[in-house]
Amino acid sequence: AAGVIQSPRHLIKEKRETATLKCYPIPRHDTVYWYQQGPGQDPQFLISFYEKMQSDKGSIPDRFSAQQFSDYHSELNMSSLELGDSALYFCASSSGPSSGNTIYFGEGSWLTVV
Amino acid sequence: AQSVAQPEDQVNVAEGNPLTVKCTYSVSGNPYLFWYVQYPNRGLQFLLKYITGDNLVKGSYGFEAEFNKSQTSFHLKKPSALVSDSALYFCAVRDGSGTYKYIFGTGTRLKVLA
């Protein structure tokens, strides 16, 4: 079965640079979530979209922005990168925001800021 | 606010023995509870969920979880552990509003010893 696709899987950036992560949800899933997982940490919610509109916002820095496009894929843009942004970034998707629906995660994008 | 707690950072169990990974929750309203497993450098894989119905939920890879309303617990169990079960396990509760994002516990590292 098709899963959530994230790209790139790994990237290395220098401080103050910009990075963009892409996410392709499971077909027919209309809700996308972004999470950040630091080393040894639990995933922290950043932001989510439902039907191409931002639906919820968590601990996303102002330096980050995201959007969901007409084909439901999503991009997370990170600017003025800091060393502390180094983490595993997960995208996840679900079929609608209903509380009973399972959220499926991608394999993650490893960002290293040097 | 919804929250989950995983009181054990690590659980060690001998191969072939039963395993239990603990999770307690605090929610307002009906609880929607999930278990995920994360292997090193991988994404979060869905194991099982409790929405309603039977308190004993069966999931992937022989795992099951018991929902206990009076103790507000949702412990993950497996009758006979395998070395390949060694991984990081996250309990999650669905937020009761917005896009119903997950709130994760801090994770429990399971180590199955041969």
Side-chain angles (χ1 to χ4, degrees), chain B residues 13-17 19 39-40 63 78 80-87 89 110-114:
Chain B
V13 64
E15 187 176 30
N17 282 2
L19 69 87
Y39 295 97
F63 284 93
K78 187 173 183 181
S80 178
L82 301 172
V83 172
S84 57
D85 292 330
S86 298
Y89 290 80
L110 173 68
K111 191 170 184 179
V112 181
L113 307 169

Side-chain angles (χ1 to χ4, degrees), chain A residues 25-100:
Chain A
I26 292 172
R28 291 179 294 282
H29 280 193
D30 51 16
T31 307
V32 168
Y33 310 78
W34 286 97
Y35 282 81
Q36 177 193 57
Q37 186 180 30
Q41 304 290 315
D42 54 289
Q44 295 294 313
F45 173 73
L46 293 178
I47 195 168
S48 63
F49 295 87
Y50 169 57
E51 282 292 345
K52 294 156 277 185
M53 299 289 289
Q54 180 182 311
S55 53
D56 204 350
K57 196 170 182 180
S59 53
I60 185 170
D62 292 340
R63 300 176 287 108
F64 293 9
S65 65
Q67 57 181 325
Q68 186 179 32
F69 294 87
S70 58
D71 63 351
Y72 294 100
H73 93 273
S74 179
E75 295 184 4
L76 177 66
N77 298 296
M78 301 175 284
S79 63
S80 302
L81 288 169
E82 301 173 356
L83 295 178
D85 296 329
S86 297
L88 182 58
Y89 290 82
F90 286 115
C91 176
S93 73
S94 69
S95 175
S98 170
S99 54

Side-chain angles (χ1 to χ4, degrees), chain B residues 34-102:
Chain B
F34 301 77
W35 275 103
Y36 283 78
V37 59
Q38 185 178 26
Y39 295 97
N41 303 319
R42 302 294 301 278
L44 295 155
Q45 295 181 37
F46 169 72
L47 284 178
L48 50 80
K49 67 181 178 182
Y50 173 81
I51 303 300
T52 185
D54 290 340
N55 290 341
L56 186 63
V57 179
K58 293 189 182 297
S60 306
Y61 312 118
F63 284 93
E64 57 190 28
E66 186 170 10
F67 173 71
N68 188 315
K69 188 173 182 178
S70 62
Q71 297 185 5
T72 62
S73 67
F74 188 56
H75 300 333
L76 182 70
K77 300 181 179 184
K78 187 173 183 181
S80 178
L82 301 172
V83 172
S84 57
D85 292 330
S86 298
L88 187 58
Y89 290 80
F90 287 100
C91 181
V93 64
R94 205 73 185 262
D95 193 4
S97 61
T99 45
Y100 302 98
K101 62 183 178 291
Y102 284 155

